[in-house]
Amino acid sequence: MRLTPFPFCATDWHSLPATRFPGDHGWADVRIQSFADMCIRLIEFSAGYVSDHWSDKGHVAVCLDGELETELGGGRSIVLRPGMTCQLGDRSGRHRWLSITGARLLVID
């Protein structure tokens, strides 16, 4: 990954407003910080969350709390627990997120 130059900064995630996105079940509260061509999101998923769409956008995601299942288009799924990451390149396959217990992720794309 190449990062377009931008100056050093620190993000106080609690000071950023959250936007709530409903899923097929539950919701995801998303806080966003953007830099040049990079986006960093702190996402809090409710218990019982099921995404309302499939995505083929690439991500690097770090699970901070809870458990989040990444369901892949081919039928495979991976459960992320605190301290785990997942990495997927753009257009490398469709995926969606689900959480039985709720979760918090830091997502970079």
Side-chain angles (χ1 to χ4, degrees):
M1 171 171 51
R2 292 183 186 246
L3 297 178
T4 302
F6 55 86
F8 175 86
C9 64
T11 302
D12 177 1
W13 289 99
H14 297 291
S15 72
L16 296 178
T19 301
R20 181 160 286 184
F21 293 93
D24 278 346
H25 298 283
W27 47 261
D29 281 348
V30 181
R31 290 177 167 82
I32 300 173
Q33 183 69 289
S34 296
F35 307 94
D37 57 355
M38 178 180 61
C39 179
I40 303 175
R41 294 176 285 148
L42 182 64
I43 307 174
E44 181 179 346
F45 298 94
S46 70
Y49 177 80
V50 176
S51 178
D52 67 346
H53 67 281
W54 290 83
S55 175
D56 67 350
K57 174 77 177 131
H59 310 286
V60 174
V62 181
C63 182
L64 303 172
D65 296 303
E67 291 186 354
L68 187 87
E69 180 178 352
T70 302
E71 186 177 357
L72 303 172
R76 197 174 80 170
S77 66
I78 305 295
V79 175
L80 295 179
R81 293 179 180 85
M84 293 178 69
T85 65
C86 68
Q87 301 76 223
L88 180 68
D90 284 342
R91 298 172 306 281
S92 294
R94 65 188 198 129
H95 60 282
R96 69 178 184 161
W97 286 333
L98 310 92
S99 183
I100 294 171
T101 61
R104 267 189 338 132
L105 259 64
L106 186 69
V107 179
I108 302 166
D109 49 27

